[in-house]
Every structure is written in structure tokens, then in C-alpha cells.
Amino acid sequence: QVQLVESGGGSVQAGGSLRLSCAVSGSIFSSNYMGWFRQAPGKEREGIATIATSNRISAYADPVKGRFTIALVKTENMLYLQMNNLKPEDTAMYYCAASSGSPRWPPLTSAAYNDWGQGTQVTVSS
């Protein structure tokens, strides 16, 4: 089990950028996959990016492809999400998550993850 703490959320205008950070307590190597999820009010939590800790292969959900980049820095025990060209529809609470299982690739469903952070709010205004 790992503990996850997100930071870096905030308010930004459309077209702007933010970088979310997720500090991992415990060995990042105990997790097979790390992911970013988001949940907007009244909507279900959706997986937006995932990365395999062994080889750093990543995958993205269609709404964020080409705009968001997930990065894993093992030496720092940190997971990042660089978000560019933000849109109002990106407004949500963002969560990082860790999976120690072996889900089908790409693991972009909540059920694939067993550890979660508390979330950080991102608000994009038009």
C-alpha cells in the first residue's frame, strides 16, 4: 500500500496550463501502474492518463490526448500530470491512483486501482 498526496491544482483561464504533482509515500515500485483520474460535479470519476511503472509506457483518454502528459520520476517518488491548452470542461477534482494488480491495458477504470489520493481541484474559466 502507498500513500498519495496531490498538489498543484488551481484556477486558470482557458488555454492555460497547470502541472499536477502526486507525492508517493512507500515504494513506487510496489505499484505496477499509476494513473490520474478526475471527477466533475454530478459526473462519474473518469480515468484520463495511466503509466506503467516498469517501462513508463503511457496511455490517455481521448478528451485529453495531445494536451496532457503523464510523467513518473522514480528517483523522486513523484507522479506528474502536465496539462496544457486547458478547457472549461477540464474543470474537476483530480486524483492520482496506484495499482498493484495486473489489469487489462490500459487501466483507465477506477476498479483497477487500490490506492488513492485526496484530490486537488482544477477550475478552468472561459
Side-chain angles (χ1 to χ4, degrees):
Q1 186 176 8
V2 296
Q3 287 75 50
L4 308 171
V5 179
E6 303 94 335
S7 61
S11 297
V12 65
Q13 289 192 326
S17 298
L18 283 173
R19 188 179 78 157
L20 304 184
S21 301
C22 176
V24 183
S25 298
S27 175
I28 204 167
F29 297 100
S30 67
S31 301
N32 294 324
Y33 303 96
M34 302 288 296
W36 284 98
F37 287 73
R38 67 185 181 185
Q39 187 167 20
K43 295 189 177 181
E44 293 187 355
R45 186 173 298 189
E46 64 170 336
I48 56 173
T50 184
I51 188 167
T53 59
S54 59
N55 56 20
R56 293 189 174 87
I57 292 177
S58 59
Y60 300 89
D62 287 344
V64 306
K65 277 181 182 176
R67 300 188 298 122
F68 291 10
T69 303
I70 189 171
L72 180 65
V73 182
K74 292 181 180 179
T75 54
E76 298 177 358
N77 262 24
M78 294 292 293
L79 180 73
Y80 298 99
L81 184 69
Q82 178 66 43
M83 306 186 295
N84 298 328
N85 190 22
L86 283 160
K87 304 175 181 181
E89 52 264 42
D90 294 319
T91 295
M93 185 72 77
Y94 283 71
Y95 301 88
C96 69
S99 171
S100 58
S102 300
R104 179 183 296 183
W105 180 261
L108 287 173
T109 60
S110 298
Y113 293 81
N114 43 276
D115 295 305
W116 294 84
Q118 84 290 347
T120 186
Q121 178 68 37
V122 171
T123 302
V124 184
S125 59
S126 58

